[in-house]
Amino acid sequence: MKHAYQVKVNDTFDFKIDEKTVKKLDTLQVSDSEFHVLHNHLSYKTEITNANFNEKSYSVKVNNTVYHINIHHELDILIKEMGFEIGITKEVNEIKAPMPGLILEINVQVGSEVKEGDTLLILEAMKMENALTSPRAGIIKTISVTKGETVDKNQLLIEFE
């Protein structure tokens, strides 16, 4: 399988580069971030000045001119087209009951500020106590249940602002 990369330079120029082209590039690594490149009989001094691997964005200085570059593999593009993002999480705005059960305890109030991992409430199901924790930091907007209430699967329990 031939791998291709979509490269965008300075949010203006788009290039498609395949693995074969990358392997043919005549480079010599001078230091951790500096390279010497020969292309079409011309010499280029390059330096990676900034790299964000999760966002796949880089700043590269070529002969004292800085270029901002985004490099995406064909799989990255396919994942994005499917509606997913790599390295980015979707924001959860509501907590629903994962199973039917009984609300034993509610540990927050409307307006409470919570951190990721804080216990929001205790749901008893099949004689087991299940602590439902916050998937993110935020502020509680609404609490749709009360202590002692029986809930159904997928019933709204808590909303975040």
Side-chain angles (χ1 to χ4, degrees):
M1 181 173 162
K2 188 166 103 174
H3 296 287
Y5 301 91
Q6 186 70 37
V7 179
K8 189 169 202 139
V9 179
N10 291 342
D11 287 327
T12 305
F13 302 104
D14 285 313
F15 301 96
K16 208 167 214 174
I17 300 174
D18 62 19
E19 197 170 16
K20 183 178 171 185
T21 304
V22 172
K23 285 182 179 182
K24 286 182 9 183
L25 192 61
D26 189 1
T27 63
L28 175 65
Q29 188 166 357
V30 179
S31 72
D32 286 341
S33 62
E34 295 178 319
F35 297 84
H36 184 261
V37 179
L38 286 175
H39 181 65
N40 292 336
H41 306 292
L42 294 173
S43 175
Y44 299 92
K45 179 184 174 192
T46 65
E47 179 182 4
I48 300 170
T49 58
N50 189 14
N52 184 329
F53 184 75
N54 286 336
E55 292 181 13
K56 300 186 182 197
S57 66
Y58 306 87
S59 294
V60 179
K61 188 191 301 184
V62 180
N63 291 346
N64 294 320
T65 302
V66 177
Y67 298 93
H68 302 284
I69 301 169
N70 295 85
I71 302 173
H72 297 282
H73 187 272
E74 55 197 6
L75 181 60
D76 299 331
I77 296 164
L78 178 62
I79 289 171
K80 189 170 185 173
E81 287 173 357
M82 293 173 66
F84 300 103
E85 294 284 334
I86 297 174
I88 298 174
T89 58
K90 300 272 184 191
E91 193 166 288
V92 176
N93 290 320
E94 54 188 31
I95 304 294
K96 293 184 177 181
M99 62 195 87
L102 176 70
I103 302 296
L104 292 181
E105 215 176 280
I106 300 174
N107 299 335
V108 293
Q109 300 172 9
V110 172
S112 295
E113 190 171 331
V114 296
K115 296 180 291 211
E116 183 177 343
D118 285 354
T119 300
L120 302 175
L121 54 84
I122 305 292
L123 175 70
E124 180 185 54
M126 297 180 287
K127 298 186 181 183
M128 291 184 58
E129 292 184 8
N130 302 284
L132 300 183
T133 60
S134 180
R136 68 174 181 98
I139 297 173
I140 304 299
K141 180 180 178 182
T142 60
I143 300 173
S144 303
V145 293
T146 57
K147 183 177 177 179
E149 184 178 341
T150 302
V151 296
D152 294 321
K153 181 177 181 173
N154 293 324
Q155 181 176 334
L156 179 64
L157 305 174
I158 294 177
E159 283 183 292
F160 290 94
E161 283 187 7

